Amino acid sequence: MPFQEDLRAAVKAAVPGVPVDWGWNLQGVTTTRVTLVHVSGRDGIAHDGPTGLVERRVQVDVWSPSYAAARDAADDIRAALHGARSGAIAGVFLTGSRDGPPETPAGSLLARFTLDLMVHYKE
């Protein structure tokens, strides 16, 4: 999907040098990184049929061994993407954010910040 490539590129530009990938957290990786997960969505529809505008909710997780590094990377992503438009993307909007306990195996504690984005894009 074009929006996935465009969104990944925008996140990578917001946090240069940090790995950004679609999918779940990679076990055993101990550097700061970002994972993107498609959570939900819907296709735009009007009385006369599809509008061609699609809405997808994307969860952006920032993982880091340092709480400060995870927070700072999440702040950089939020600043760069909230309200952004690029390529196939008609608009990106922050709908929620949180930090919380990491979901990692015992012995590999990582800080995690999560941003919930609503991405509108043209098919």
Side-chain angles (χ1 to χ4, degrees):
M1 292 181 185
F3 101 91
Q4 290 175 320
E5 297 162 13
D6 290 342
L7 184 63
R8 181 173 180 255
V11 173
K12 285 181 72 126
V15 286
V18 174
V20 177
D21 289 299
W22 283 93
W24 297 103
N25 184 29
L26 301 174
Q27 292 184 7
V29 178
T30 58
T31 60
T32 300
R33 76 248 186 223
V34 177
T35 54
L36 307 170
V37 180
H38 173 242
V39 176
S40 66
R42 61 183 175 174
D43 296 346
I45 192 84
H47 292 290
D48 57 347
T51 63
L53 193 62
V54 179
E55 179 181 89
R56 296 285 183 257
R57 183 176 304 274
V58 175
Q59 180 175 309
V60 178
D61 288 309
V62 179
W63 305 87
S64 182
S66 159
Y67 181 89
R71 180 199 58 222
D72 292 348
D75 287 347
D76 290 345
I77 293 167
R78 176 187 296 116
L81 269 68
H82 184 56
R85 309 170 119 193
S86 174
I89 297 175
V92 178
F93 306 98
L94 180 70
T95 61
S97 63
R98 61 198 168 280
D99 65 347
E103 296 175 5
T104 58
S108 59
L109 186 63
L110 296 173
R112 176 176 145 194
F113 274 77
T114 299
L115 303 173
D116 296 319
L117 303 178
M118 188 60 70
V119 181
H120 298 266
Y121 67 96
K122 300 171 198 149
E123 287 187 308

